[in-house]
Amino acid sequence: MLKIYIAINILISFFNPDVNDDTINKIPPKKEIVKLTKEAIDLLHESNFEKSFAASRLALNYSIASKNDNLAAKSYNIIGANYEKMSEYDLAILNYNKGIVYAEKAKNDTIKNYIYNNLGNIYWFNKKDTEKGISFLKDALHFVETNKDSTKIVLIKLNITWAYFAVGSYSQGIDHLKFLNKYNNKFGGDSNAVIINMLNGMYAGSLGKKSESKAFFEKGIEIGKRTDNIEDLSYLYQQYSKYLYSKNDYKNAYQYLVLYSTLTKQLEDSENLKRAKSVGINFEVDEYKRKIDSITALNFLQLESLKKSKIIVLLFVIVLVILLLQMFTLYKNFLFKKKSNQDLMESNAELVEAKEMADESSRLKTQFVSTITHELRTPLYGIVGITNMLLDEHKELENSTHLNSLKFSARYLLSLINDVLQINKFEENKIVLEDSIFNIADEIDLIINSLLFIAKNNNNKVTTELDPEIPELLLGDKLRFSQILINLLSNALKFTRNGTVVISAKMVRIEGQTYFIEFQIKDNGIGIAQEDQIKIFDKFTQVGRKNLDYQGTGLGLSIVKKLLELFDSTIVIESELGVGTTFAFTIGFDYDKEKIENIINDAEFDSSKGNALSVLVVDDNAINRMVTKKIIEKLNYKCVVLESGKEAIELLTTDKFDVILMDINMPEMNGFETTKIIRSMGIMTPIIALTAFSKDEVVEESKLVGMNDIIVKPFESPELYKMINIIIANE
């Protein structure tokens, strides 16, 4: 009905030229018109579009009547901005272009610059014409840079960056983003913070920096919620949802898509927006009236002769046409909304299905890795054990190339299995640092000795430089620290021929009871090219294999990086081809003398009963039984081996043992079931789980059934000796 009313008013004004806007006959002074335009701008910033439209329309009427091109340009700019806020983009562009005409007449480059910026935003953001939008924005940027207006430079560069990033042109937008990161706090302020964090998140995501991208997006969300910046927050939710979807994080992508839809609907349902549309249309009536007035001056005498009956017929026809167009438009909108809702429902269903498939894929992957590693560790236990037996029983074979090669190959395969498990644990966030006492110097010596075979093969020398200020004993996760050094040192030795590798540890600072130590592993090997220095920390990435075969999976440095993140640390690399490479990192270890002494006292045990201990081994694998028995007898313990849980239960009804080593994965009755029955019989003999599974996979169930500890195959005899005696001492 509103459009019908507009049409009738237009026709009445057309046939009644004496009807003029009273405001034009009473033109206020320029000072009042300027005040009116300022009021319209303030109302626009407050999202009071209805009053802003009314004020800007009145200011435009006065400006045109007083032939003030400068104020007319300002008024058209404000009206265009109101239409833009209401999503009437074609009308906004129309009024912005009118504003440019009046700005050029008034030779007012400042207003023209504002309008260029607004047109640029509409074309790239709403009309999806990025090339045209950026062209307008660059025109605006050229003007503000010439006039050194820092605040407006920040605003326009923000819009240009957003436009480039929206179409994936990160290389063209990155320089503008760097400028924003550097100068926004000084010239832009908090109003741009949500969008700038969104842009940084998009750029980090394009580089594959997942954690950095997530941090920027979440910081932007926090600022948007705190400042109640609904419009910018909705854009950030939309971009974050797209990024998560691209990373196959369908669940969170869907959640942020819902948040984006909610905020968008909230903005669209604004009452001010609805009322403003009617006021905006009244402005169009004024425009029509101005055009019609010029026509009526030429045709007044002819139009006077038209009969009222013809006017009524013409009005009726026009109203009927408008009604039909209105009905057709409503029908088209209904079909469009129906299709949009259907598309959204289908997209949601696809997201849910994709999430379920991703969860199932993750579960199957974990199960597969667990099964494969168990099946590989079981024969490896036999290989390593039999190799050690041969070396112990036949001292003349100690320098046998074949036997040592066999042992090295088995340990290399075990290392590969451990690397795969480590990556799997990182992806499932299952790794937690543990505290233990250790001596850094001793630990480094052990690591060097374990890698001497690589050093000898490549004719390398390993030296150490340790700061005497480092305490003798420290608290920290010795195992994870050792993994870091082993990976870095083995890499240095593999990629160096006839050279020297230096391991250094230097105290850098002390904070309370935490001693921060910088470690460096420096070699004079082949070096790493500049373009490869970022790639080497990706999983399964290997560089420098042109003419030489360097063994490895490409997992070592990826594991190092993730382990250092657990220590709240990062790794730094300096390298030059043909000169060498230096890796450096800093870790904080605790030094608490009293706590260290308590742990040492708790760990002490009496091994005097060693020769009297009797051990029962239950394992279905014949080779493993033989290897385990040899290890136990080497410790001067008595040993009985059985191949099933059923046999163990029968034997324990008559015989007693000091310790039971129970294999977990056995047919008919597994180790958990056997242990549960043994405990139900009232037998409290210490039971150590003997397994090829990862310790994390079985620790919970082993505690539930009453097992005392877990040892993972393959293991060394000192490790078993220590575990048995600690358990016996605590009985």
Side-chain angles (χ1 to χ4, degrees):
M1 294 304 295
L2 180 61
K3 293 184 177 179
I4 297 171
Y5 171 77
I6 293 169
I8 292 172
N9 273 281
I10 292 172
L11 287 166
I12 290 173
S13 65
F14 184 85
F15 293 108
N16 294 277
D18 292 331
V19 179
N20 294 311
D21 196 330
D22 292 335
T23 59
I24 297 176
N25 297 324
K26 300 175 183 178
I27 302 172
K30 178 181 177 182
K31 182 178 179 181
E32 291 298 319
I33 303 175
V34 171
K35 182 179 178 181
L36 199 57
T37 58
K38 186 178 184 303
E39 181 181 344
I41 293 171
D42 293 336
L43 290 166
L44 174 62
H45 291 161
E46 295 169 6
S47 297
N48 193 338
F49 306 121
E50 179 179 1
K51 291 184 178 180
S52 178
F53 249 127
S56 57
R57 183 183 66 178
L58 191 59
L60 179 61
N61 288 337
Y62 288 146
S63 302
I64 292 176
S66 63
K67 298 181 179 180
N68 190 320
D69 295 332
N70 186 52
L71 290 175
K74 285 185 179 179
S75 300
Y76 271 121
N77 185 39
I78 300 168
I79 293 165
N82 274 284
Y83 273 126
E84 184 179 352
K85 288 290 186 180
M86 294 189 307
S87 301
E88 296 285 351
Y89 304 118
D90 290 332
L91 289 174
I93 291 170
L94 176 66
N95 284 282
Y96 282 143
N97 286 328
K98 290 178 182 178
I100 290 174
V101 172
Y102 278 93
E104 287 178 345
K105 286 182 180 180
K107 297 181 179 179
N108 191 328
D109 290 335
T110 301
I111 297 176
K112 189 162 64 174
N113 170 64
Y114 280 127
I115 297 174
Y116 279 150
N117 181 66
N118 294 339
L119 282 171
N121 287 336
I122 285 182
Y123 275 112
W124 82 259
F125 191 82
N126 303 113
K127 304 293 284 183
K128 307 304 179 186
D129 190 344
T130 305
E131 183 177 354
K132 194 169 184 178
I134 291 176
S135 176
F136 275 114
L137 290 171
K138 284 183 175 179
D139 288 340
L141 180 62
H142 175 72
F143 175 82
V144 296
E145 285 179 338
T146 302
N147 290 273
K148 299 181 179 179
D149 190 340
S150 302
T151 301
K152 292 185 179 65
I153 290 173
V154 168
L155 177 62
I156 295 172
K157 278 184 175 287
L158 185 146
N159 292 330
I160 292 174
T161 306
W162 196 351
Y164 276 127
F165 282 12
V167 295
S169 297
Y170 293 100
S171 60
Q172 292 179 278
I174 182 57
D175 289 336
H176 297 296
L177 180 60
K178 290 177 180 177
F179 179 93
L180 293 172
N181 289 334
K182 186 175 181 180
Y183 293 107
N184 181 64
N185 289 337
K186 185 175 181 181
F187 300 111
D190 294 334
S191 60
N192 302 327
V194 175
I195 298 300
I196 289 177
N197 274 286
M198 179 190 78
L199 295 174
N200 277 293
M202 293 169 69
Y203 181 68
S206 73
L207 298 178
K209 298 180 179 179
K210 186 176 181 182
S211 59
E212 187 175 334
S213 177
K214 180 182 178 185
F216 278 119
F217 277 119
E218 290 181 349
K219 183 179 179 182
I221 291 171
E222 178 189 348
I223 296 171
K225 288 180 178 177
R226 187 174 68 247
T227 59
D228 200 24
N229 192 341
I230 296 177
E231 187 174 11
D232 287 348
L233 189 58
S234 70
Y235 297 146
L236 192 148
Y237 281 148
Q238 183 187 34
Q239 289 299 333
Y240 197 17
S241 173
K242 290 179 179 179
Y243 169 73
L244 292 170
Y245 188 86
S246 71
K247 297 301 178 185
N248 301 325
D249 189 354
Y250 303 115
K251 179 179 179 181
N252 287 321
Y254 174 71
Q255 291 176 351
Y256 282 103
L257 183 63
V258 171
L259 289 171
Y260 164 71
S261 300
T262 302
L263 289 186
T264 303
K265 189 175 186 302
Q266 182 179 341
L267 291 168
E268 290 175 351
D269 290 343
S270 168
E271 276 303 310
N272 285 338
L273 205 61
K274 293 177 181 177
R275 292 198 300 272
K277 288 187 177 182
S278 64
V279 179
I281 294 170
N282 289 336
F283 165 73
E284 291 302 308
V285 173
D286 292 339
E287 286 293 280
Y288 291 142
K289 285 169 67 178
R290 270 190 284 276
K291 293 178 181 178
I292 292 170
D293 285 343
S294 64
I295 298 173
T296 55
L298 299 174
N299 301 291
F300 177 77
L301 292 175
Q302 294 177 359
L303 296 175
E304 186 109 71
S305 64
L306 291 177
K307 295 180 180 180
K308 291 183 179 180
S309 57
K310 290 183 178 180
I311 296 173
I312 294 172
V313 171
L314 182 60
L315 288 174
F316 177 77
V317 171
I318 292 173
V319 169
L320 183 62
V321 170
I322 292 173
L323 281 173
L324 291 173
L325 289 173
Q326 181 75 0
M327 292 178 64
F328 178 74
T329 303
L330 290 172
Y331 177 70
K332 292 288 286 183
N333 286 340
F334 169 75
L335 292 178
F336 176 75
K337 288 181 178 179
K338 184 177 179 181
K339 185 177 185 304
S340 297
N341 290 336
Q342 182 64 31
D343 291 343
L344 184 59
M345 290 175 65
E346 291 176 0
S347 297
N348 291 344
E350 290 173 1
L351 281 172
V352 172
E353 184 180 356
K355 177 186 175 299
E356 291 175 352
M357 290 176 64
D359 291 342
E360 177 65 13
S361 176
S362 177
R363 186 188 67 78
L364 291 174
K365 184 193 74 171
T366 301
Q367 183 179 346
F368 173 77
V369 171
S370 175
T371 303
I372 290 298
T373 52
H374 175 271
E375 293 303 317
L376 289 171
R377 272 179 168 161
T378 298
L380 273 176
Y381 177 55
I383 295 170
V384 173
I386 292 173
T387 305
N388 287 333
M389 287 165 51
L390 288 171
L391 290 172
D392 288 339
E393 294 175 3
H394 301 277
K395 298 297 182 182
E396 70 276 9
L397 297 176
E398 188 173 356
N399 296 320
S400 170
T401 304
H402 301 304
L403 210 54
N404 285 322
S405 296
L406 176 63
K407 188 173 182 179
F408 168 74
S409 298
R411 292 197 175 279
Y412 176 77
L413 184 55
L414 180 61
S415 174
L416 171 60
I417 294 168
N418 290 335
D419 282 349
V420 173
L421 277 176
Q422 191 83 281
I423 289 294
N424 197 51
K425 289 179 184 178
F426 277 124
E427 291 176 353
E428 297 180 1
N429 296 318
K430 287 186 176 180
I431 294 182
V432 179
L433 295 180
E434 299 176 358
D435 277 348
S436 59
I437 301 172
F438 70 101
N439 180 292
I440 283 181
D442 291 345
E443 200 63 29
I444 291 175
D445 287 341
L446 285 172
I447 291 167
I448 292 173
N449 290 333
S450 68
L451 297 175
L452 278 179
F453 64 94
I454 301 179
K456 289 179 180 178
N457 285 343
N458 291 343
N459 194 28
N460 291 326
K461 180 182 178 183
V462 182
T463 63
T464 58
E465 297 175 358
L466 304 181
D467 191 338
E469 296 297 320
I470 299 174
E472 182 180 0
L473 296 177
L474 292 170
L475 281 171
D477 196 319
K478 178 180 69 172
L479 176 61
R480 310 302 180 197
F481 169 68
S482 297
Q483 284 180 286
I484 293 169
L485 278 187
I486 288 172
N487 277 308
L488 292 176
L489 180 57
S490 62
N491 266 6
L493 291 171
K494 283 191 294 184
F495 290 95
T496 303
R497 293 278 196 273
N498 304 312
T500 301
V501 178
V502 180
I503 303 176
S504 66
K506 181 182 179 182
M507 178 80 69
V508 289
R509 68 181 187 278
I510 301 173
E511 295 179 5
Q513 292 183 330
T514 304
Y515 285 59
F516 287 88
I517 303 169
E518 182 188 55
F519 298 90
Q520 286 191 359
I521 294 84
K522 183 176 182 181
D523 66 63
N524 53 4
I526 64 173
I528 304 170
Q530 187 70 33
E531 62 270 18
D532 292 329
Q533 290 180 16
I534 296 178
K535 302 177 189 175
I536 59 174
F537 294 103
D538 295 334
K539 289 186 291 185
F540 305 108
T541 298
Q542 298 165 327
V543 298
R545 289 175 170 257
K546 293 179 180 178
N547 299 314
L548 300 172
D549 181 22
Y550 300 103
Q551 290 181 334
T553 61
L555 291 173
L557 290 178
S558 174
I559 292 172
V560 166
K561 182 181 178 184
K562 291 183 179 296
L563 286 174
L564 284 172
E565 287 174 0
L566 294 177
F567 283 104
D568 293 325
S569 181
T570 56
I571 190 163
V572 177
I573 177 174
E574 292 182 5
S575 186
E576 185 178 344
L577 284 175
V579 176
T581 304
T582 299
F583 287 99
F585 59 91
T586 300
I587 296 180
F589 293 111
D590 290 340
Y591 177 67
D592 186 336
K593 189 174 181 181
E594 183 178 348
K595 186 176 180 180
I596 289 172
E597 289 177 353
N598 290 337
I599 293 175
I600 292 173
N601 292 334
D602 291 342
E604 289 179 351
F605 54 86
D606 182 11
S607 60
S608 60
K609 297 192 296 181
N611 293 334
L613 295 181
S614 59
V615 181
L616 173 63
V617 176
V618 186
D619 195 325
D620 65 306
N621 188 291
I623 295 175
N624 288 354
R625 287 198 303 272
M626 177 185 68
V627 171
T628 306
K629 184 176 181 182
K630 286 289 184 182
I631 291 173
I632 292 171
E633 289 176 346
K634 186 180 176 183
L635 297 175
N636 295 321
Y637 296 160
K638 298 176 182 177
C639 182
V640 175
V641 293
L642 298 174
E643 61 179 310
S644 71
K646 185 177 180 181
E647 290 180 356
I649 293 169
E650 291 176 358
L651 182 63
L652 288 170
T653 58
T654 57
D655 294 359
K656 292 184 178 181
F657 295 88
D658 295 302
V659 178
I660 301 172
L661 295 184
M662 181 73 67
D663 184 29
I664 289 179
N665 193 30
M666 295 187 294
E668 296 183 11
M669 184 186 296
N670 65 35
F672 293 136
E673 294 168 338
T674 305
T675 300
K676 195 172 182 180
I677 294 172
I678 291 171
R679 293 301 186 224
S680 68
M681 295 165 61
I683 299 172
M684 303 311 295
T685 303
I687 300 176
I688 298 174
L690 189 64
T691 180
F693 286 110
S694 173
K695 189 174 182 178
D696 295 337
E697 297 178 51
V698 297
V699 65
E700 187 174 343
E701 191 170 356
S702 67
K703 288 181 180 178
L704 287 174
V705 299
M707 289 181 165
N708 298 75
D709 211 333
I710 302 166
I711 190 164
V712 179
K713 297 182 286 188
F715 54 84
E716 300 290 343
S717 56
E719 184 183 357
L720 178 63
Y721 176 81
K722 182 178 179 181
M723 184 177 292
I724 290 174
N725 281 279
I726 289 175
I727 291 174
I728 295 297
N730 291 331
E731 282 297 304

